[in-house]
Amino acid sequence: MKNRIILFGGTFDPIHLGHIRAAEAAQQYLDAERVIFIPARRSPCKLEPPSASEEDRLRMVQLAIEGHEGFEVSDCEFHRPAPSYTVETVQEFRERLGSEADLFWLLGADAVKDLPRWYQIDRLMELCRMAVMYRAGYPKPDFSLCKPYFTAEQIRSLEENVVPVPLVDISSSEIRRRLACGQDVSDRVPAPVAEYIRRRRLYGCGC
């Protein structure tokens, strides 16, 4: 069997326990050897740039994944002009790892409706398989909106790689809001990340 590798992109501003638990669930469900976290320089889907610097976001991911077997981080998107297009990132990994790698791009179910508008989506789906996460207790993603835009084979691939993940009600925006208000976030981010935020006084944290 080919080496299964999950590519997990995001701004990770900051990375939180929801990201980690989702990655753990996906790794187990897809029987993947590696999960590579890829902080985006700037997402084309977001109007505002990340609050924390590239250096800080990279370091927070490094701290968050310490001790997790098979978890890695890549700064590849920081070396290209913004915004970060997924197809360019996956192409880079495909060239680096070769055809023997079975690549998955991990994304949330809320992104499914926008997939037809992703940059070079057909090329992206040739380079890797899209692994769509959905939270426990919620319905599986509905791919019917994609049918006018994708082939039957593409739809079948999407349906075959739906990944259930734990229900964790945490968002990076809420963490930033709490920090700006001087509130505790130790139950939302890994302890080393919370300490790094405090020490670096990120997100308006004045503690």
Side-chain angles (χ1 to χ4, degrees), residues 64-176:
I65 66 176
E66 283 183 357
H68 291 269
E69 185 175 355
F71 281 17
E72 305 171 20
V73 61
S74 169
D75 64 352
C76 65
E77 294 199 357
F78 295 164
H79 301 290
R80 297 200 311 266
S84 303
Y85 288 111
T86 302
V87 67
E88 295 173 349
T89 298
V90 176
Q91 177 71 50
E92 182 174 334
F93 277 94
R94 175 58 69 198
E95 292 172 355
R96 185 188 309 173
L97 299 171
S99 59
E100 65 274 12
D102 193 2
L103 296 181
F104 293 81
W105 184 267
L106 192 62
L107 71 155
D110 57 345
V112 168
K113 65 183 185 301
D114 297 319
L115 273 179
R117 295 192 293 273
W118 279 32
Y119 181 66
Q120 294 187 6
I121 183 60
D122 288 336
R123 174 59 178 157
L124 175 60
M125 295 180 76
E126 291 174 0
L127 292 168
C128 71
R129 290 191 274 175
M130 312 298 284
V132 181
M133 299 179 286
Y134 77 98
R135 294 177 175 181
Y138 282 75
K140 286 189 174 183
D142 180 6
F143 297 108
S144 60
L145 294 176
C146 298
K147 289 184 178 179
Y149 307 98
F150 295 148
T151 66
E153 183 179 351
Q154 288 172 325
I155 294 293
R156 185 165 54 252
S157 177
L158 289 169
E159 292 173 340
E160 288 175 352
N161 295 292
V162 173
V163 179
V165 297
L167 176 59
V168 181
D169 190 16
I170 303 175
S171 72
S172 295
S173 58
E174 174 64 12
I175 291 170
R176 295 194 300 271

Side-chain angles (χ1 to χ4, degrees), residues 53-73:
S53 69
E54 296 170 5
E55 176 188 4
D56 284 327
R57 290 186 292 122
L58 180 66
R59 183 58 184 149
M60 285 188 284
V61 174
Q62 290 171 336
L63 291 169
I65 66 176
E66 283 183 357
H68 291 269
E69 185 175 355
F71 281 17
E72 305 171 20
V73 61

